[in-house]
Amino acid sequence: IQLSSRQHNMVSSSMLSGFQFKNSRASYCKISKTRFQSVVRASTAITPYNDELIANAKKLTAPGKGLLAMDESNATCGKRLDSIGVENSEDNRKAYRTILVGAKGLGEYISGAILFEETLYQNTVDGTPFVDVLNNNGILPGIKVDKGLVPMTNSNGESWCQGLDGLAQRCAEYYKQGARFAKWRSVVNIGAGPSAKALFDTAYGLARYGAIAQNAGLVPIIEPEILLDGDHDID
């Protein structure tokens, strides 16, 4: 396995233990599992949230539980309310989301709830913060941090996901408000490509978001969605 000196600090012990590899100067070396694990522990202590991130990731992936995605934007939530003849107001959105988090026994089946930014800072109809209601039920509050898809210039109808600007500051504020994980959704359109440019942008955006979120104490959900839309076949 050929690795640069920088890459040595970016891999896990399970990947390299017992393997021979060469560094950027082409010299070969073999590293023991015990010694490499000590190197990994030293080199991966990049945030003060390491232990918390691991604990929360385990909570989110607890057997028999799933995530509640209630991060609809105000516009999307308005479509749901409009379908039953209800005005799209903040009070009505609050009431709708209160019903979701107030479901009896929700914490038995849900490990985390992805919130829209508005909801993270809101109280339920009885005045209790949404974050507190979730925590009291053993549910980790999460937050959608991407800013949505926009058309990609000079492409065949592809898109890219915006939101990296100011993300570090936003994530820090979300953590202070009680969020403990985040979600970012990028899209790859098979019918419109996918071009190398779109694939790179999706991978780069998700990687940068993931690093920024972890540095702020938020477990990142990495969501590269491959759209089924189009007339392409399975190949």
Side-chain angles (χ1 to χ4, degrees), residues 5-38:
S5 57
R6 183 178 181 182
Q7 286 173 317
H8 290 171
N9 294 330
M10 298 173 62
V11 293
S12 67
S13 58
S14 61
M15 291 171 62
L16 286 184
S17 177
F19 284 86
Q20 287 187 332
F21 59 91
K22 57 183 180 179
N23 60 21
S24 55
R25 295 182 180 178
S27 62
Y28 285 85
C29 61
K30 188 171 183 178
I31 197 162
S32 69
K33 182 176 182 180
T34 302
R35 183 181 177 189
F36 188 81
Q37 285 177 331
S38 65

Side-chain angles (χ1 to χ4, degrees), residues 10-206:
M10 298 173 62
V11 293
S12 67
S13 58
S14 61
M15 291 171 62
L16 286 184
S17 177
F19 284 86
Q20 287 187 332
F21 59 91
K22 57 183 180 179
N23 60 21
S24 55
R25 295 182 180 178
S27 62
Y28 285 85
C29 61
K30 188 171 183 178
I31 197 162
S32 69
K33 182 176 182 180
T34 302
R35 183 181 177 189
F36 188 81
Q37 285 177 331
S38 65
V39 172
V40 168
R41 281 194 295 271
S43 64
T44 56
I46 56 174
T47 87
Y49 303 102
N50 281 9
D51 292 340
E52 183 182 359
L53 288 168
I54 293 172
N56 286 336
K58 290 180 178 179
K59 289 180 182 178
L60 290 172
T61 56
K65 293 188 177 184
L67 302 180
L68 173 62
M70 49 180 291
D71 58 327
E72 304 100 329
S73 66
N74 290 346
T76 301
C77 192
K79 294 178 182 179
R80 301 185 188 280
L81 297 175
D82 184 64
S83 68
I84 56 174
V86 176
E87 179 188 2
N88 182 17
S89 66
E90 181 177 353
D91 285 342
N92 287 335
R93 292 192 298 271
K94 181 193 303 183
Y96 163 65
R97 288 161 175 157
T98 297
I99 294 173
L100 294 177
V101 301
K104 186 176 181 180
L106 187 65
E108 297 177 28
Y109 310 99
I110 298 299
S111 58
I114 308 169
L115 307 178
F116 189 60
E117 186 176 54
E118 177 184 72
T119 316
L120 182 67
Y121 292 91
Q122 276 182 333
N123 297 334
T124 60
V125 292
D126 67 0
T128 306
F130 276 98
V131 169
D132 290 349
V133 173
L134 293 172
N135 283 325
N136 290 339
N137 283 281
I139 301 172
L140 287 179
I143 180 70
K144 171 187 175 181
V145 298
D146 69 76
K147 293 296 185 179
L149 302 171
V150 293
M152 177 174 285
T153 305
N154 297 330
S155 72
N156 184 30
E158 295 178 294
S159 60
W160 65 281
C161 189
Q162 56 187 352
L164 288 176
D165 290 347
L167 181 59
Q169 181 179 358
R170 288 193 289 120
C171 284
E173 292 299 322
Y174 296 150
Y175 182 90
K176 290 180 182 178
Q177 186 61 22
R180 290 299 178 265
F181 72 99
K183 187 201 84 167
W184 179 292
R185 170 181 174 265
S186 290
V187 165
V188 173
N189 190 327
I190 302 297
S195 66
K197 177 182 177 183
L199 292 174
F200 176 85
D201 187 85
T202 295
Y204 175 83
L206 287 169

